[in-house]
Amino acid sequence: MCRGLPVGGGQATLRGTTIGGRDCYVDRGGGVHLNQMASGDMKSSGDFASSIERVICHFPLVPLLFVRRIFGGASVMTNRHWFEEISKWKLEAADEDSQRYFYEVQGLQSIQSGETSYVIGRKGSGKTAVAEHIRGLRSFDTFVRSLSFKSFPFNELYKLSDSSFTSPSQYTTIWKHIIYSSICSMMVENQAIDPAISAEMARHFAMDIERGLARSISKISDRSGGVTLFGTGGSASSKTIVIPNDTAWQDRVNILEDVIISHLDSSKYYVLFDELDEDYKDVLEVDTSSQYFDLLIGLFKATHDVRRKLGRSLNVRPIIFLRQDIYELLRDNDKNKWRDAAMTLEWSEPQLRGLATFRLSRALDENGPEIGFPKLMGNLFTTDTTRAGGARAKRHVFHYIIARTLMRPRDIISYMRECAKLALDERTEKISPNMFSDVNKAYSSRLREEFVDEMQGAVPYINEIFEVLSRMRKQIFSFSEFKSGYDSLILSKQFNNALPFDTICNIMFHYSAIGSQPSQRSAKIFKYQYPNAKINFNENGVIHIGLLQSLQIN
Ligand SMILES: Nc1ncnc2c1ncn2[C@@H]1O[C@H](COP(=O)(O)OP(=O)(O)O)[C@@H](O)[C@H]1O
Ligand SMILES: [Mg+2]
């Protein structure tokens, strides 16, 4: 029951009543005051609202208008708290709180249902975010193994190739073995599986495939010891099957497949392969690229086979997440067959707006509702339009940001993060467009690092090439000028095996660091917007606008 407390002279602290983690008191005139708190103390506006309710209960006469004033007054505090949260956003989904920030991408349902097995996307398009989201689905009847190939010694796998097959197929059997072993290891955890079966499986498959993939692979591929498993028919204890040491890979896989088909329940089993591209650079350097590609093709084939055999009758869902440029390099007669189960992660401006709206709302309140886009923009920015570099027409601030991106969530996050950091540094309540030039600087150097990261494998001296562009001092340039700068660079540095100029331009065009500028049109042609576009050396080249500040071109 609510009951008003007597308020004496001076100030009275409401014992046990706090607003947003702060003690509050009521002055003689009935005004409610909050004691000072460190920014970020307020857990959520939900807490805040319920505390306000408690105050109203204690002080039924505190006018509602006044409570509104507290909300208004708190907005400075909330904005700071909000900026602090945004400034901590991560550019890698693996480092983030997926439960809080994951925004449902188009096609997610088909990935979850097992219709899609291949998720293809550019770097930063959200592959790991989807993988992390699926990891978060774990429950009593949903099991997930996420196999990351970050710093994975690929040589371990190369060694295992089954030389009785032709190139990619020699790895297919190994991959199927890994997928089936992962499923067996999940069955061990599943309470719904006959304990006699899972106990027996535990003897061979209770291993930490996720954290110790290399070790697990040597364990599951260890042919020195035989494996004893329950048979596929009759009572579990009466029929055991033994896989002797010298059983061929294919036979081992067939036996595991039979065991799984016989004993698997209707739970969902996901086996995720992410970060397969982590070692792509190294692979180019040590020139084992074809082996690496054979390995990947083998994985695609294995996934296709497993889907075909187990995906329909059972909920076995292997999913590969792969960078688009690498996927495009895979050559195999079966590639057409994979298309039906493949999905490309692509983002349009409205979808990125949806993502920004969702994430900004979640940054404000972890469990709160989604707030309208205009309202969020109004709270973040002093004005919702800005002039873009000398252009007469004004554009929406979000559109201005989008123009600096490669239409990937990572860019939006990076830009907003820099905005929040600057607002915190400058102690401003909102971001004004005249702060954009500083934001652009920080954002641009991050984008340049990312380009360098992507291209360095193919072009180790890519940073020096950016310096050549920087010295040209203009966004739109002629290829002949760029070529003479490039030629002098090669001459002065005497690089071994320097690549031909055309190849360099093609690589830079491929990653959208540069585009073409057709003379008769104002539109610029970048690969990220026109995936089928080819570079045209007869036109001018154009540097991506997001890169300009990092090249000291303004
Ligand atoms: N659907 C999404 N919802 C929320 N954030 C996302 C989503 N997709 C990507 N992001 C964010 O974008 C950034 C890059 O995504 P990430 O999954 O790491 O890219 P990729 O693995 O494709 O290189 C991360 O900060 C991630 O949290
Ligand atoms: Mg990733």
Side-chain angles (χ1 to χ4, degrees):
M1 208 187 84
C2 293
R3 156 173 81 79
L5 294 177
V7 179
Q11 71 178 49
T13 302
L14 304 179
R15 274 184 296 275
T17 303
T18 55
I19 296 180
R22 285 188 288 175
D23 285 339
C24 60
Y25 65 90
V26 178
D27 66 20
R28 277 175 210 252
V32 178
H33 297 270
L34 305 183
N35 286 333
Q36 219 31 51
M37 77 170 186
S39 54
D41 276 1
M42 199 184 304
K43 280 199 217 71
S44 70
S45 60
D47 286 348
F48 192 70
S50 63
S51 308
I52 292 283
E53 265 166 33
R54 263 185 284 143
V55 173
I56 297 171
C57 284
H58 283 299
F59 293 93
L61 295 180
V62 174
L64 205 64
L65 225 169
F66 189 76
V67 172
R68 287 227 182 86
R69 196 159 70 80
I70 298 174
F71 268 114
S75 79
V76 180
M77 203 59 93
T78 308
N79 254 16
R80 231 185 139 64
H81 165 75
W82 196 22
F83 289 148
E84 272 168 8
E85 181 58 33
I86 298 168
S87 72
K88 285 188 253 164
W89 280 359
K90 302 286 186 294
L91 300 179
E92 296 281 343
D95 304 330
E96 270 211 331
D97 178 355
S98 152
Q99 301 277 4
R100 177 171 188 171
Y101 282 119
F102 183 73
Y103 170 72
E104 185 164 331
V105 291
Q106 215 174 12
L108 181 70
Q109 287 315 320
S110 81
I111 304 172
Q112 279 181 210
S113 70
E115 260 173 83
T116 296
S117 295
Y118 312 117
V119 181
I120 313 298
R122 285 180 293 147
K123 210 165 178 255
S125 61
K127 300 181 294 296
T128 303
V130 173
E132 287 291 315
H133 166 75
I134 292 177
R135 267 166 72 87
L137 299 176
R138 285 175 210 235
S139 72
F140 71 97
D141 70 345
T142 304
F143 299 87
V144 186
R145 285 287 179 277
S146 179
L147 308 188
S148 162
F149 286 78
K150 213 166 188 164
S151 31
F152 177 76
F154 274 81
N155 289 335
E156 284 286 319
L157 275 180
Y158 296 146
K159 274 192 291 193
L160 294 176
S161 66
D162 187 339
S163 49
S164 55
F165 289 99
T166 52
S167 287
S169 307
Q170 64 192 349
Y171 295 111
T172 309
T173 334
I174 311 291
W175 283 120
K176 279 169 84 171
H177 202 284
I178 292 174
I179 294 172
Y180 288 152
S181 302
S182 303
I183 291 167
C184 291
S185 83
M186 290 188 264
M187 288 167 78
V188 170
E189 285 167 22
N190 188 350
Q191 306 283 325
I193 302 280
D194 180 347
I197 307 284
S198 50
E200 181 64 15
M201 282 189 159
R203 288 184 34 217
H204 306 290
F205 298 104
M207 55 197 149
D208 193 350
I209 289 192
E210 293 196 330
R211 267 174 296 175
L213 186 59
R215 226 174 317 124
S216 305
I217 284 180
S218 56
K219 183 174 174 192
I220 55 189
S221 59
D222 180 10
R223 294 218 231 168
S224 61
V227 174
T228 309
L229 281 174
F230 288 118
T232 56
S235 90
S237 51
S238 64
K239 265 188 152 187
T240 56
I241 50 167
V242 177
I243 309 177
N245 301 352
D246 55 353
T247 311
W249 279 112
Q250 188 59 52
D251 297 333
R252 286 165 173 252
V253 166
N254 290 344
I255 293 168
L256 279 186
E257 195 170 89
D258 285 347
V259 169
I260 290 170
I261 289 174
S262 313
H263 299 298
L264 205 68
D265 64 335
S266 60
S267 301
K268 297 177 236 16
Y269 295 87
Y270 294 97
V271 185
L272 315 178
F273 296 92
D274 192 16
E275 291 172 329
L276 290 157
D277 38 51
E278 281 295 321
D279 283 328
Y280 182 46
K281 274 192 290 210
D282 303 349
V283 166
L284 276 180
E285 277 159 18
V286 296
D287 199 27
T288 47
S289 54
S290 73
Q291 223 177 1
Y292 170 73
F293 285 111
D294 285 349
L295 194 75
L296 284 186
I297 293 169
L299 177 58
F300 273 74
K301 284 176 184 292
T303 298
H304 182 77
D305 278 4
V306 171
R307 264 171 63 85
R308 207 162 36 92
K309 295 235 168 77
L310 307 180
R312 285 193 203 110
S313 50
L314 296 163
N315 293 317
V316 169
R317 297 164 188 177
I319 308 172
I320 304 174
F321 297 86
L322 188 64
R323 233 165 74 183
Q324 192 160 5
D325 52 340
I326 301 179
Y327 180 71
E328 281 163 12
L329 293 172
L330 301 182
R331 296 271 170 271
D332 193 79
N333 295 338
D334 277 355
K335 204 169 171 179
N336 268 339
K337 290 191 206 155
W338 309 333
R339 196 154 292 152
D340 282 347
M343 181 192 120
T344 310
L345 273 180
E346 273 169 327
W347 295 83
S348 62
E349 183 166 340
Q351 285 166 336
L352 287 173
R353 197 188 310 133
L355 172 113
T357 307
F358 179 82
R359 291 187 58 114
L360 289 169
S361 306
R362 282 297 172 98
L364 198 56
D365 183 348
E366 187 167 357
N367 306 304
E370 200 167 310
I371 297 165
F373 180 72
K375 192 162 183 173
L376 287 169
M377 292 291 113
N379 273 325
L380 265 184
F381 300 105
T382 52
T383 156
D384 63 0
T385 55
T386 181
R387 284 210 165 82
R392 246 181 284 142
K394 286 189 163 192
R395 358 186 198 172
H396 194 279
V397 281
F398 193 71
H399 195 67
Y400 173 90
I401 296 173
I402 285 277
R404 272 148 188 80
T405 70
L406 286 116
M407 301 295 276
R408 306 174 299 189
R410 181 169 290 159
D411 305 324
I412 298 287
I413 287 161
S414 170
Y415 203 94
M416 299 249 155
R417 196 171 79 163
E418 296 305 339
C419 282
K421 280 184 192 166
L422 192 68
L424 286 172
D425 283 352
E426 303 210 342
R427 299 179 171 278
T428 55
E429 194 185 327
K430 291 187 181 185
I431 299 142
S432 70
N434 59 23
M435 291 161 75
F436 280 167
S437 77
D438 284 339
V439 172
N440 288 343
K441 253 184 236 151
Y443 167 80
S444 184
S445 60
R446 201 275 316 163
L447 190 66
R448 174 170 168 172
E449 274 167 28
E450 191 154 337
F451 275 127
V452 169
D453 217 40
E454 269 183 312
M455 288 187 261
Q456 207 158 34
V459 190
Y461 47 95
I462 185 68
N463 245 325
E464 276 98 336
I465 296 176
F466 277 137
E467 289 309 315
V468 171
L469 285 176
S470 171
R471 279 194 293 275
M472 285 163 35
R473 289 269 177 271
K474 44 188 175 260
Q475 187 187 10
I476 297 171
F477 60 88
S478 77
F479 282 105
S480 59
E481 186 184 354
F482 186 21
K483 182 170 186 324
S484 59
Y486 179 72
D487 289 345
S488 345
L489 172 77
I490 300 304
L491 249 157
S492 66
K493 298 276 167 120
Q494 306 210 316
F495 291 126
N496 289 335
N497 308 325
L499 293 165
F501 176 69
D502 288 10
T503 310
I504 295 287
C505 290
N506 274 316
I507 292 173
M508 294 179 84
F509 186 82
H510 182 86
Y511 288 103
S512 297
I514 61 170
S516 303
Q517 176 75 63
S519 51
Q520 67 279 53
R521 284 193 286 149
S522 61
K524 300 165 175 44
I525 310 292
F526 280 96
K527 184 125 177 132
Y528 76 93
Q529 284 165 319
Y530 302 94
N532 298 324
K534 297 269 177 297
I535 194 164
N536 183 347
F537 288 102
N538 297 321
E539 293 170 342
N540 276 332
V542 56
I543 301 170
H544 190 279
I545 188 171
L547 263 176
L548 293 181
Q549 272 77 9
S550 75
L551 303 174
Q552 297 87 48
I553 305 171
N554 290 307

